[in-house]
Amino acid sequence: MYIKEVVDYYQEGQEADILVTDGQFDILCYAQPYSGKYNSNFSLAPLDYSDIMTASKKEYKIDKLDVGYYSYFIRGKLISVEKGLVKIGGLIIEDINIIPKDIKVGDFIEFAVSRMDFIENEIK
């Protein structure tokens, strides 16, 4: 996954709207703080998500929702319950912490997210 475009950047507030992609799936994310650099070392984490359930289809999907500027419907594969990792194509979302007990690693899940946060990681 990589930065496709920095849609808006507000240097004074260190805020940005960043379009992240894997080449197939795109998701608009909010970043604060943001350095202004096209850093390849970042994570994606939802600010608010709801209605996690087992998906009826085993396919990756990201659909924009009309309820908010950053809101999406997401369908992906659960790859770690402990770390809360969900894979959508080549995108990895972290920190999905409230997973129903009947959902196991390898299951496709779907949920709504009100905002996806872009988190710059320190380069070591």
Side-chain angles (χ1 to χ4, degrees), residues 89-102:
L91 302 176
I92 304 291
I93 298 173
E94 300 179 4
D95 298 330
I96 305 292
N97 298 319
I98 305 170
I99 300 171
K101 298 290 183 198
D102 63 330

Side-chain angles (χ1 to χ4, degrees), residues 66-90:
D66 293 332
V67 294
Y69 183 70
Y70 299 101
S71 60
Y72 286 90
F73 168 83
I74 293 176
R75 183 181 302 136
K77 183 187 287 189
L78 181 65
I79 57 175
S80 173
V81 174
E82 296 80 22
K83 295 180 181 179
L85 300 177
V86 175
K87 178 180 179 178
I88 306 102

Side-chain angles (χ1 to χ4, degrees), residues 49-62:
Y49 54 92
S50 60
D51 304 327
I52 294 177
M53 63 182 76
T54 303
S56 57
K57 295 181 178 180
K58 294 184 179 202
E59 64 184 20
Y60 300 119
K61 187 173 195 169
I62 296 178

